[in-house]
Amino acid sequence: MNRRQFMKQLCGIAGIAALPLGFTSCSKSAAKPNIIYILADDLGYGDLGCYGQTHFNTPNLDRLAAEGMKFTDHYAGSTVCAPSRCSLMTGFHTGHSRVRGNYESGPHGFGACLELRPQDVTVAELLKPAGYATGVFGKWSLGVMTTTGQPDKQGFDEFMGYLNQGHAHFYYTDYLWKNGEKITLEGNQDGKQQQYTHDLIANETLDFIKRHKDEPFFLYVPFTIPHAELLVPEDSIGPFKGKFEETPHYSAKDGGRGHYGTQLMPKAAFAGMVERMDRDVGHMMDLLKELGIDDNTIVMFSSDNGPHKEGGADPDFFDSNGPVRGYKRDLYDGGIRVPFMVRWPGKIKAKSTSKHVSAFWDFLPTACQLAGVDVPQDIDGVSFLPELLGNKQPQHEYLYWEFHENKATDQAVRMGEWKAVRHYPSGPVELYNLSVDIEEQNNIADQYPQIVAKMKELLDTTRTDHELWPLKDKT
């Protein structure tokens, strides 16, 4: 009997689900590591020092990567926030998921989001029966109050932050939601800007860790930084004042465009926002060590999609998409390939790099394996826990995306090193070989008709219909 068979038999006798290879015990503490997933908002593939950023510093996130594994080929669930987060929480790509776009209509006014249904199963719902305390702090985007998508109806014990993406555009809002209650922020009433909501969210994460240090917990931290609007307190923007040549952004009320606030120094604000987020990730990592739970906590960090251009942001100046083509709302890799680092002391080899092709919908099965619970059989995700532990990793046959917020439905498939993009259902298939053309500049569809035919078949058949997001052709 080998080790895996022995552990499976032993844990079966104990009434505990089989553990992934790499665990040494099926006791409660060893079998159930704490899981922290930190999600930035609109952070590009090149916006961290460990991925090539040079205009500002991210020492704590760089340390997270250096002390664990950095992924080079990891993908978001979508190229905008709500569907990306749906993929992360439910294990489905956007051809099968409930939320396939930023749904900004309905009975709840501006910023309402399409809610998850009772039958939609989240990571938190799967981990709670295994004894996990569950908390989400930041931007939810999967259901507002009084709907079936509110966090407490989707497996989370605790929530504080923004329920929808429209509200989350503003860092000095006059209210947030906390555990089903609307919390007034007195410091932001009547136009005052005294309570920076990112700081409130960051403090809640630390409090959650302290209160649940003696039990397994799942902490999901979808930060709002660095999404527009580009605002950050003086202690973060100050060091960058005068450092960059700036093009001011003016809000509509100041004669500009859009609803984001006026920012005279958008480059300085963006750099300061990312550094502030990095600081708060450092606070979390330091607290884990202080509480003595660092070795039993796996920390993951990523971004919900590629870099944005709103509110005066200049992703070209910062080279925010790094070596890949495109931005937020593109299905070229610049819109969907994102930084991803995972740290777990004593389990994941430090300073390791993975080229494993993976995506947000892989998180749910990975979390299930970490917690020792059964992985749902009908999802699109494939656990990447073997990759983290240095074992043989199952591969995806392909990854699929669709995006409905442009004039027609965009679709993309990655299969090995091949990447296909189609801008409308009856349109031509573009084909790129990412191993030699990471920038997706050389469309070689005419050279590989058999591969194009396979990609077209996937684009045509992978998805299921959706009442809100039917395929839109070019008009």
Side-chain angles (χ1 to χ4, degrees):
M1 179 182 296
N2 63 30
R3 181 185 174 204
R4 181 181 294 277
Q5 292 170 327
F6 173 75
M7 291 302 296
K8 182 175 181 180
Q9 182 183 53
L10 179 62
C11 292
I13 294 171
I16 300 174
L19 306 176
L21 190 64
F23 290 125
T24 57
S25 169
C26 61
S27 68
K28 178 177 180 180
S29 60
K32 297 177 181 178
N34 307 313
I35 303 170
I36 299 178
Y37 194 106
I38 307 167
L39 187 68
D41 197 334
D42 291 2
L43 187 82
Y45 187 75
D47 275 331
L48 301 178
C50 55
Y51 283 87
Q53 184 56 240
T54 59
H55 290 289
F56 49 83
N57 299 310
T58 55
N60 295 296
L61 287 164
D62 296 347
R63 174 164 60 96
L64 192 155
E67 294 177 356
M69 180 176 290
K70 182 180 80 170
F71 284 68
T72 62
D73 292 63
H74 188 72
Y75 288 88
S78 181
T79 188
V80 294
C81 67
S84 201
R85 293 152 199 266
C86 183
S87 286
L88 184 71
M89 286 293 100
T90 65
F92 289 102
H93 61 58
T94 46
H96 295 145
S97 60
R98 162 70 169 164
V99 181
R100 304 187 191 184
N102 284 344
Y103 186 73
E104 298 286 358
S105 62
H108 304 283
F110 174 78
C113 47
L114 184 68
E115 69 276 3
L116 293 178
R117 304 159 299 180
Q119 64 265 39
D120 297 315
V121 180
T122 68
V123 177
E125 288 181 282
L126 292 165
L127 297 191
K128 272 180 65 69
Y132 276 75
T134 57
V136 52
F137 304 101
K139 173 175 158 183
W140 174 238
S141 291
L142 298 175
V144 297
M145 290 303 299
T146 74
T147 73
T148 57
Q150 63 189 57
D152 63 300
K153 294 180 180 177
Q154 292 295 331
F156 284 98
D157 301 319
E158 301 180 35
F159 167 77
M160 197 279 278
Y162 301 88
L163 286 171
N164 60 61
Q165 55 268 15
H167 182 205
H169 291 174
F170 305 107
Y171 290 92
Y172 289 103
T173 180
D174 56 2
Y175 73 93
L176 290 173
W177 291 95
K178 184 173 183 178
N179 298 332
E181 295 185 16
K182 192 174 183 179
I183 306 299
T184 299
L185 303 182
E186 297 294 344
N188 295 342
Q189 300 299 307
D190 302 318
K192 293 182 292 186
Q193 294 186 344
Q194 297 176 355
Q195 290 177 279
Y196 192 60
T197 54
H198 167 83
D199 293 350
L200 302 179
I201 290 165
N203 289 337
E204 287 287 333
T205 68
L206 300 179
D207 181 64
F208 180 88
I209 293 170
K210 292 173 184 177
R211 288 187 287 106
H212 296 287
K213 63 182 177 65
D214 296 323
E215 61 183 324
F217 62 79
F218 167 45
L219 172 58
Y220 173 38
V221 190
F223 281 136
T224 50
I225 281 178
H227 193 294
E229 60 187 355
L230 299 180
L231 287 177
V232 69
E234 179 63 27
D235 59 333
S236 287
I237 194 173
F240 294 100
K241 287 182 176 179
K243 187 173 181 179
F244 311 121
E245 183 177 342
E246 300 279 12
T247 301
H249 169 78
Y250 295 98
S251 68
K253 69 177 182 179
D254 292 328
R257 299 177 59 189
H259 66 274
Y260 296 114
T262 291
Q263 176 53 259
L264 301 180
M265 294 172 288
K267 292 190 183 76
F270 179 83
M273 291 169 81
V274 179
E275 286 204 353
R276 197 176 193 87
M277 177 180 63
D278 178 83
R279 177 202 70 182
D280 291 324
V281 172
H283 290 165
M284 274 188 269
M285 294 170 65
D286 292 343
L287 179 61
L288 295 174
K289 289 186 177 181
E290 177 186 323
L291 297 176
I293 59 175
D294 193 40
D295 288 349
N296 197 42
T297 304
I298 183 168
V299 180
M300 306 182 190
F301 177 91
S302 193
S303 174
D304 64 346
N305 46 249
H308 69 89
K309 296 182 177 182
E310 288 83 20
D314 189 347
D316 291 333
F317 173 81
F318 288 108
D319 197 20
S320 291
N321 52 10
V324 293
R325 171 187 178 183
Y327 312 91
K328 180 180 180 178
R329 297 186 179 85
D330 289 329
L331 288 184
Y332 296 111
D333 269 19
I336 51 177
R337 192 188 295 211
V338 288
F340 184 51
M341 304 96 73
V342 187
R343 175 186 179 272
W344 192 7
K347 301 292 194 303
I348 298 174
K349 182 180 178 181
K351 298 181 180 179
S352 55
T353 299
S354 172
K355 295 182 179 180
H356 172 57
V357 179
S358 52
F360 272 21
W361 47 94
D362 296 333
F363 172 61
L364 183 145
T366 304
C368 286
Q369 284 201 332
L370 285 165
V373 302
D374 291 337
V375 178
Q377 296 300 304
D378 62 341
I379 60 172
D380 297 310
V382 174
S383 171
F384 49 75
L385 183 57
E387 182 76 2
L388 298 177
L389 300 179
N391 298 321
K392 186 175 181 180
Q393 173 64 50
Q395 303 296 314
H396 283 279
E397 179 187 354
Y398 62 88
L399 303 178
Y400 172 85
W401 301 265
E402 60 183 49
F403 182 59
H404 300 264
E405 295 173 33
N406 295 325
K407 292 182 179 180
T409 300
D410 293 312
Q411 296 173 282
V413 169
R414 175 160 178 179
M415 185 174 62
E417 296 299 332
W418 297 103
K419 172 79 178 294
V421 177
R422 187 168 69 181
H423 296 293
Y424 51 96
S426 67
V429 174
E430 300 174 11
L431 183 68
Y432 305 95
N433 185 335
L434 298 179
S435 67
V436 295
D437 182 23
I438 193 173
E439 297 180 0
E440 295 173 275
Q441 294 295 319
N442 185 21
N443 178 9
I444 52 177
D446 59 342
Q447 300 177 34
Y448 296 93
Q450 291 183 323
I451 294 176
V452 169
K454 174 62 176 177
M455 292 297 202
K456 185 178 184 302
E457 179 185 3
L458 292 172
L459 293 169
D460 290 341
T461 62
T462 294
R463 72 183 308 272
T464 55
D465 290 335
H466 197 292
E467 69 277 12
L468 290 176
W469 287 289
L471 291 180
K472 294 183 296 184
D473 216 332
K474 185 177 181 180
T475 58

